[in-house]
Amino acid sequence: MVMEGEKLWTPRQEFADRSNIARYQRWLKAERGIDSADYHALWRWSVKDTAGFWASIWDYFEVQSDTPYRSVLQRPADGGMMGTQWFPGSRVNYAEHLLRQEAEGGERPVFHHLSETRALATMSWRELGRQVRILATRLRAMGLQPGDRVVSYMPNVPETAIAMMATAAIGCIWSSAAPEFGVKTVIERFSQIEPKLLFAADGYRFGGKDFRREEEVRRIAGSLPSLQKIVWLPYLDPQGAPPAMPDLVSWNALMDHPEVPREGFQFTRVEHDHPLWVVFSSGTTGLPKAIVHSHVGVLLEHYKLLSFHLNLGPQSVMFFYSTTGWMMWNLVIASLLTGSAAVLYDGNPAYPSPDFLWKLAADTRATSFGASPTFVQMMEKAGLKPGEQYDLSALEGIVVAGAPSTPETFAWFYKAVKQDLWVTSQSGGTEICSGFVGATPTLPVHAGEIQTRMLGMDVHAWTDDGKELVDEVGELIVTQPFPSMPIHFWNDTGGKRYRESYFEVFPGVWRHGDFIKINHRGGCYIYGRSDSTLNRFGVRIGTAEIYRAVEQVEEVADSLIVCVELPGGNFFMPLYLRLKPGATLDDALRKKINARLRDDCSPRHVPDRIYGVEAIPYTLTGKKMEVPVRKLLMGWPLEKAASRDAMMNPESIDWFVKFAQESTDYDWRGTAAAAKA
């Protein structure tokens, strides 16, 4: 049995010395006179001298700007984090930097791509640049201007990456939803930002089954009055005729235009606060938050993250299983900043066999492999040993993300894959499109432990009254601004929702909503969400999305849902219902509710169990008490989980107290012990 914190791996000296971060440290010493004895000294400097650190990132990666920046950062008048401007005066383009390696990359693969409808193939740097320039030129010809919104309802295929890069290249604002999202979920997101153009695919294949999306696209388009054009990708049926929809053009027709020479193409370099994309939160307290990031902020953060914390470079091949509705897809595409190739896969990760992704990793010579703790548990239960079955000699690092990792998760890689392996865990969020805590190739790996706080991220564990904790669990907070903070939320007048989301609990300090423990050596442990956002199998789900679907079922009067992280990377997501008089919670109603959630939202929104209750607990201000119920299920005593005095209907909590004590449908004990440590 592996113990938490047990040392599992120490980097070879040669591996550490040739790492990107070691090279950066040597550059800092030569160019800036900053001599950091080890990573921890480097981190302390990066958060103490915020301006000096981020200026060094700008210079080290030779960011291209039309004009020089006036200052590295400009804080608001109140001196807080919210509203900080980064590199004001600069004019950059994110897509231009993604394609900087095109000339040098030439015919070298930039994408290895595979799906359940397409065989494994590659796309070269030269071909990617050619297609991005053609598409960007056609978008300009359609009249799209910088600041216009372009959205996508497409799978994880090269065309989606090309569409994103072409959109950013001309200064338009990108947003993406995965094709498995239900119509309502997509409309709730895209209607907020009023897009002019929609990229849409005819469907997708998952687990050998086709899911056509013509009707869904028709309904989405009909609910977006701002939409002027649809670009149609015949993906499931390449020879199929486009549907009869107004203002629709096929992808193939759009791309059937002369090549645009690299020397003659102009990227639209935009101001420091110009939006790059809109990514959406999970919608816990209403409509999903439309989170806006800037070109310059994401560019600086991604250079740092991918180079220093994932150790990617021109010889790397990055693979992380993701859909286009998750920020990890953005990060996979961002790997191009380092000259790395990326692996794109659309389909079921365990189809036609549980070891399928390992075969893909071997076939593409992946150097970095992304996995979730749930995926690892599935591998272990299947008795798989990928290291014996496949040639994984190119593999250097593992990125475990999407949920808290256990010591057993780490140990499995060393037993079943290979012994000389940099196994890392990362944690961040859609809000920052990056990580707060993660890895560095110069530190050892300890079982279940995230190696360190990332450079430039002044992360701490705090008590509820703002005292710092070491070797104890507290709230994850960040005390210094960083470039990939949202520049704002879309349509958030006065920044009210932004402030409430991250700066209300500790004024002027970012509170992320995760439980974290930072030990005496700087290692980090994430213990799940401290707020009510559901985190299931690495995908954050909003409770409001589920309520909007469930409470339209005729028999349902009210509902409450929570998600509890369990030991071994598992989750328990129960749904509690108050039914209307005369209704009965039988199998037929359960099936009806699950079908509604699957169709309106996605399969991930379907709960593990459905229970009937007499009443749903509410606060005095009318908010459903999701966090207190979740804490009860994690083993917290009532007096620490909730205050009856703050409840609209105090007696309603008694059922949940009894349920948490007596239910055998889940085992929370490992998580409860961690949460209350």
Side-chain angles (χ1 to χ4, degrees):
M1 175 70 71
V2 64
M3 300 297 293
E4 182 178 272
E6 179 181 335
K7 186 184 290 187
L8 300 177
W9 177 84
T10 300
R12 289 175 286 106
Q13 193 62 48
E14 183 269 339
F15 180 78
D17 287 346
R18 66 176 170 85
S19 67
N20 293 329
I21 198 164
R23 191 175 298 116
Y24 169 66
Q25 286 177 280
R26 292 191 290 269
W27 178 89
L28 273 177
K29 183 176 180 180
E31 298 293 328
R32 297 287 203 271
I34 297 168
D35 190 0
S36 50
D38 54 23
Y39 178 83
H40 301 297
L42 180 64
W43 175 80
R44 286 192 294 270
W45 168 74
S46 77
V47 297
K48 183 178 180 181
D49 185 1
T50 303
F53 169 68
W54 289 107
S56 79
I57 298 299
W58 179 286
D59 292 342
Y60 185 75
F61 291 104
E62 299 179 343
V63 172
Q64 301 298 301
S65 172
D66 273 348
T67 53
Y69 59 82
R70 296 189 299 271
S71 62
V72 174
L73 72 162
Q74 183 177 313
R75 286 192 182 239
D78 62 8
M81 293 172 63
M82 183 177 166
T84 298
Q85 297 187 50
W86 288 91
F87 298 93
S90 65
R91 297 184 66 90
V92 305
N93 186 281
Y94 183 77
E96 179 179 9
H97 288 79
L98 287 176
L99 284 171
R100 281 175 81 181
Q101 304 268 358
E102 180 191 348
E104 185 176 336
E107 296 305 319
R108 182 163 53 86
V110 63
F111 290 143
H112 301 268
H113 53 98
L114 173 70
S115 75
E116 291 191 25
T117 65
R118 297 173 176 176
L120 180 62
T122 62
M123 176 178 286
S124 70
W125 279 92
R126 183 170 289 117
E127 178 62 16
L128 173 63
R130 187 187 74 84
Q131 293 202 35
V132 169
R133 286 188 292 276
I134 290 174
L135 181 56
T137 301
R138 300 321 306 163
L139 295 179
R140 281 173 171 157
M142 290 179 183
L144 288 169
Q145 299 291 321
D148 289 342
R149 276 75 68 201
V150 174
V151 294
S152 167
Y153 192 52
M154 303 243 285
N156 186 12
V157 292
E159 289 91 340
T160 311
I162 291 163
M164 184 271 275
M165 295 168 72
T167 297
I170 64 171
C172 290
I173 303 169
W174 171 263
S175 194
S176 175
E180 69 266 21
F181 283 10
V183 170
K184 183 179 293 186
T185 299
V186 177
I187 293 171
E188 286 174 347
R189 284 159 168 75
F190 290 169
S191 62
Q192 295 186 59
I193 61 174
E194 299 177 305
K196 283 191 175 181
L197 185 143
L198 166 68
F199 286 98
D202 59 354
Y204 65 99
R205 185 174 296 166
F206 190 87
K209 182 179 179 181
D210 287 351
F211 296 85
R212 305 202 69 87
R213 280 295 180 259
E214 289 94 336
E215 182 56 34
E216 284 79 0
V217 173
R218 197 183 304 276
R219 290 164 59 193
I220 291 167
S223 299
L224 300 174
S226 61
L227 206 62
Q228 298 178 3
K229 187 73 71 175
I230 300 172
V231 178
W232 184 258
L233 177 67
Y235 173 59
L236 269 183
D237 184 7
Q239 306 305 318
M245 296 177 65
D247 301 311
L248 183 144
V249 60
S250 76
W251 175 277
N252 295 335
L254 198 61
M255 299 301 291
D256 186 19
H257 283 82
E259 185 169 345
V260 181
R262 186 168 67 249
E263 298 77 13
F265 180 82
Q266 292 293 320
F267 289 89
T268 301
R269 293 182 177 177
V270 294
E271 294 183 355
H272 69 283
D273 57 353
H274 187 89
L276 167 62
W277 55 43
V278 179
V279 290
F280 288 91
S281 72
S282 45
T284 301
T285 54
L287 285 176
K289 295 188 287 284
I291 300 165
V292 186
H293 293 126
S294 70
H295 281 248
V296 73
V298 169
L299 179 63
L300 272 290
E301 175 58 37
H302 283 178
Y303 265 132
K304 179 213 71 177
L305 169 72
L306 295 158
S307 294
F308 300 154
H309 298 290
L310 294 183
N311 202 36
L312 299 180
Q315 305 308 313
S316 302
V317 178
M318 180 188 182
F319 175 47
F320 195 103
Y321 177 75
S322 178
T323 71
T324 55
W326 187 19
M327 55 79 71
M328 283 305 302
W329 180 84
N330 301 59
L331 282 182
V332 171
I333 305 305
S335 65
L336 274 58
L337 290 170
T338 69
S340 172
V343 180
L344 310 179
Y345 174 62
D346 176 52
N348 187 322
Y351 179 85
S353 61
D355 61 348
F356 180 76
L357 293 188
W358 291 108
K359 181 180 187 304
L360 179 57
D363 290 345
T364 59
R365 304 288 293 168
T367 62
S368 178
F369 181 89
S372 70
T374 306
F375 176 78
V376 175
Q377 187 179 51
M378 181 180 68
M379 300 291 100
E380 190 169 19
K381 285 184 177 180
L384 298 178
K385 295 184 177 179
E388 296 179 4
Q389 296 168 271
Y390 299 106
D391 178 8
L392 299 173
S393 56
L395 190 62
E396 292 185 338
I398 298 291
V399 179
V400 184
S405 297
T406 65
E408 290 73 25
T409 299
F410 280 50
W412 180 84
F413 286 103
Y414 291 103
K415 290 186 296 184
V417 181
K418 60 195 294 188
Q419 290 187 340
D420 187 13
L421 195 60
W422 178 36
V423 178
T424 75
S425 183
Q426 324 273 334
S427 186
T430 299
E431 303 91 333
I432 66 169
C433 208
S434 183
F436 288 118
V437 293
T440 180
T442 58
L443 290 178
V445 170
H446 296 85
E449 184 173 306
I450 299 173
Q451 284 180 295
T452 188
R453 290 169 279 194
M454 292 187 179
L455 296 179
M457 295 295 190
D458 199 8
V459 173
H460 302 272
W462 275 13
T463 62
D464 290 343
D465 56 357
K467 293 185 175 66
E468 184 159 9
L469 297 168
V470 177
D471 286 321
E472 294 185 54
V473 178
E475 288 278 358
L476 190 163
I477 61 93
V478 188
T479 59
Q480 293 292 332
F482 49 93
S484 66
M485 289 172 57
I487 49 176
H488 54 78
F489 292 171
W490 200 267
N491 292 333
D492 181 25
T493 304
K496 181 177 182 292
R497 199 177 185 197
Y498 186 4
R499 185 174 293 103
E500 289 174 347
S501 298
Y502 307 109
F503 297 105
E504 193 169 64
V505 175
F506 303 111
V509 173
W510 180 289
R511 171 190 171 270
H512 191 58
D514 277 347
F515 287 126
I516 187 174
K517 179 176 74 176
I518 303 172
N519 64 24
H520 59 281
R521 63 169 171 262
C524 305
Y525 295 84
I526 298 292
Y527 293 112
R529 301 296 298 170
S530 62
D531 60 13
S532 60
T533 300
L534 310 175
N535 186 341
R536 197 180 195 211
F537 302 111
V539 178
R540 291 174 64 181
I541 298 170
T543 56
E545 294 176 326
I546 290 177
Y547 297 147
R548 283 193 291 272
V550 169
E551 291 172 16
Q552 289 183 33
V553 175
E554 184 178 353
E555 295 87 346
V556 176
D558 203 356
S559 61
L560 183 142
I561 192 162
V562 297
C563 187
V564 181
E565 291 85 2
L566 303 178
N570 289 324
F571 304 84
F572 178 66
M573 193 167 84
L575 172 65
Y576 304 98
L577 302 178
R578 178 172 67 84
L579 300 180
K580 293 178 180 177
T584 301
L585 184 59
D586 53 17
D587 288 344
L589 181 55
R590 288 186 174 94
K591 289 179 181 178
K592 179 179 178 180
I593 291 168
N594 287 342
R596 183 63 176 263
L597 285 166
R598 190 176 290 109
D599 293 340
D600 279 5
C601 302
S602 83
R604 294 186 181 90
H605 291 68
V606 176
D608 294 308
R609 294 282 192 279
I610 302 178
Y611 304 92
V613 298
E614 291 295 321
I616 300 296
Y618 279 86
T619 67
L620 291 173
T621 55
K623 294 182 179 179
K624 296 182 183 186
M625 297 183 64
E626 299 155 332
V627 173
V629 168
R630 178 176 176 272
K631 288 181 177 179
L632 288 172
L633 267 60
M634 290 174 66
W636 292 49
L638 177 61
E639 61 270 21
K640 290 188 176 182
S643 168
R644 290 182 182 274
D645 294 337
M647 296 182 63
M648 184 183 297
N649 47 353
E651 69 285 352
S652 63
I653 201 69
D654 294 334
W655 186 95
F656 292 90
V657 172
K658 185 177 181 181
F659 176 86
Q661 294 170 343
E662 299 178 358
S663 177
T664 60
D665 285 351
Y666 71 108
D667 180 12
W668 48 262
R669 290 164 184 79
T671 296
K676 295 187 293 182

